[in-house]
Amino acid sequence: MTVLVTGGAGYIGSHMVLALAEAGENVVVIDNLSTGFSNFIPDGVPLFIGDVSDENLVEGVIAAHHVDSIIHFAGSVVVPESMRDPLGYYRNNAMATRNLLNVAVRCNIPRFIFSSTAAVYGNPDHMPVVEEAPTRPLSPYGMSKLMAEIMLHDVATAHGMSYVVLRYFNVAGADPLARVGLATAGATHLLKIAVEAATGQRAKIDVFGTDYPTPDGTCVRDFVHVSDLVQAHRAALGYLSNGGPSTTWNCGYGRGYSVFEVIEAVRRVSGRNFAVQQADRRPGDIMTMIADTRRIHSAVAWAPQYDNLETIAAHALAWEEKLLQERRQGEGRVATG
Ligand code: UDP
């Protein structure tokens, strides 16, 4: 029996594939490599390059590899980009998921795990936010993920599929052995920007808003290490295999850190004192976003190993240094070649 990981060459998907392969599970990947990298896939794991909306491709992979579970990461994930290109987001996140579900139903796939996001909540009334909170996305990104959640729910009800929706909070860090990490060009996430500053690739980091009514005036987020996040997916697979009913889980640590705290953590672990500049608030930013994690912890034995901001920062930094070194070696080869 095999797990199909869509988007398995991307940031989170590649960590998932490594974890499954290490655990001795059969795994197969579909990825169109729009933001992923084929060299992130370990030897022995089949990679099919194509879109999850390509029903013939997906059906062929499911049949050839005896797929019985799907973990669906493939999609677009940049909030500001979704504001500029809403139709692209509805295509990649909503319509593509609809096609994938169509094939999953046709092939009687019993288990489906879906990557969703805390962005489905919009600006919650209460913090930490519980899964039952109203869903009021502020961006096409959040809306497109919510649409996929709704489709999954309806399909599961009609066709007897079981699912777990994982709503991610701020995913950060990298594989502790630095085999994979966030490599997508133009990433805008805070920790990525901070480690780029710490490694001298940026002159400074802008802090978007220092006048929020929070303890230090900056926004607060619940950062979850990518390796812990993928273990939550493994726990979800086990939960469904044991007959657990369809459900939705927040996936964070339930603790918030401010933008300034993140920057300080990166300064400490790197030993480098890069420039920090106060800037205007970024439109659409939510002030505080922290997960209420009681539901996941009551359903499965998920034991995060890297629930520590400095550890997350250190792993992000080690990965960034590796990327930088590889890039310099590549440039050296071009210069001398
Ligand atoms: N942020 C910042 N400077 C940056 C990037 C991000 O001050 O260069 C802030 C951003 O305004 C937000 C927080 O860091 O308050 C987290 O942003 P990120 O884009 O990492 O994730 P989001 O919570 O928006 O999904």
Side-chain angles (χ1 to χ4, degrees):
M1 289 301 160
T2 302
V3 182
L4 166 59
V5 178
T6 76
Y11 170 46
I12 303 172
S14 62
H15 289 80
M16 184 82 247
V17 171
L18 272 185
L20 288 169
E22 274 175 351
E25 307 263 5
N26 292 325
V27 49
V28 56
V29 173
I30 298 179
D31 196 304
N32 67 9
L33 301 183
S34 58
T35 56
F37 300 89
S38 56
N39 64 340
F40 280 7
I41 309 281
D43 289 344
V45 173
L47 164 66
F48 292 87
I49 300 171
D51 283 324
V52 289
S53 55
D54 179 344
E55 296 194 21
N56 287 333
L57 169 71
V58 177
E59 191 158 359
V61 170
I62 288 174
H65 291 272
H66 309 290
V67 168
D68 64 349
S69 307
I70 297 176
I71 309 182
H72 179 34
F73 293 101
S76 299
V77 298
V78 183
V79 173
E81 186 183 59
S82 80
M83 309 292 255
R84 293 191 300 272
D85 179 24
L87 291 175
Y89 273 67
Y90 290 122
R91 180 191 59 226
N92 293 347
N93 293 349
M95 292 165 69
T97 301
R98 191 254 168 219
N99 287 16
L100 180 64
L101 285 172
N102 198 32
V103 179
V105 167
R106 212 156 52 221
C107 299
N108 290 314
I109 297 294
R111 290 177 284 280
F112 197 102
I113 295 176
F114 179 60
S115 298
S116 190
T117 167
V120 300
Y121 296 117
N123 251 322
D125 299 326
H126 303 286
M127 204 57 63
V129 63
V130 293
E131 289 86 351
E132 299 86 354
T135 44
R136 298 180 294 229
L138 300 175
S139 65
Y141 166 65
M143 192 61 87
S144 64
K145 286 286 186 178
L146 182 59
M147 287 176 173
E149 282 195 17
I150 293 166
M151 282 189 280
L152 181 55
H153 174 267
D154 291 346
V155 163
T157 306
H159 300 287
M161 175 193 285
S162 301
Y163 68 83
V164 175
V165 166
L166 288 163
R167 291 182 177 156
Y168 307 161
F169 283 65
N170 286 63
V171 187
D175 172 46
L177 302 177
R179 293 167 296 182
V180 290
L182 180 55
T184 311
T188 56
H189 290 133
L190 175 62
L191 252 149
K192 181 76 174 174
I193 304 280
V195 295
E196 284 177 358
T199 49
Q201 300 174 80
R202 291 177 180 268
K204 62 171 172 71
I205 176 165
D206 286 324
V207 175
F208 301 134
T210 52
D211 58 349
Y212 286 98
T214 56
D216 67 15
T218 65
C219 291
V220 172
R221 293 290 183 272
D222 185 347
F223 294 91
V224 56
H225 192 292
V226 60
S227 297
D228 282 337
L229 183 83
V230 304
Q231 291 308 325
H233 292 69
R234 292 204 56 222
L237 265 183
Y239 165 90
L240 292 177
S241 300
N242 290 332
S246 296
T247 186
T248 300
W249 297 336
N250 284 339
C251 207
Y253 294 141
R255 190 167 64 213
Y257 289 103
S258 74
V259 173
F260 278 148
E261 285 176 311
V262 171
I263 291 171
E264 279 313 311
V266 173
R267 278 179 166 162
R268 271 197 307 278
V269 299
S270 67
R272 293 181 204 122
N273 193 8
F274 49 89
V276 174
Q277 188 166 312
Q278 304 196 5
D280 290 342
R281 291 183 179 192
R282 193 172 68 174
D285 265 346
I286 292 157
M287 180 173 72
T288 301
M289 186 54 95
I290 301 170
D292 184 311
T293 62
R294 281 173 294 177
R295 200 189 268 181
I296 184 171
H297 285 297
S298 65
V300 287
W302 176 50
Q305 287 184 60
Y306 307 107
D307 178 2
N308 178 291
L309 186 59
E310 288 203 1
T311 305
I312 294 174
H315 291 169
L317 182 68
W319 168 252
E320 195 61 36
E321 281 169 343
K322 183 180 169 188
L323 271 184
L324 195 58
Q325 197 185 355
E326 282 175 0
R327 212 172 299 143
R328 286 192 179 131
Q329 280 165 356
E331 282 163 12
R333 271 197 298 277
V334 172
T336 56

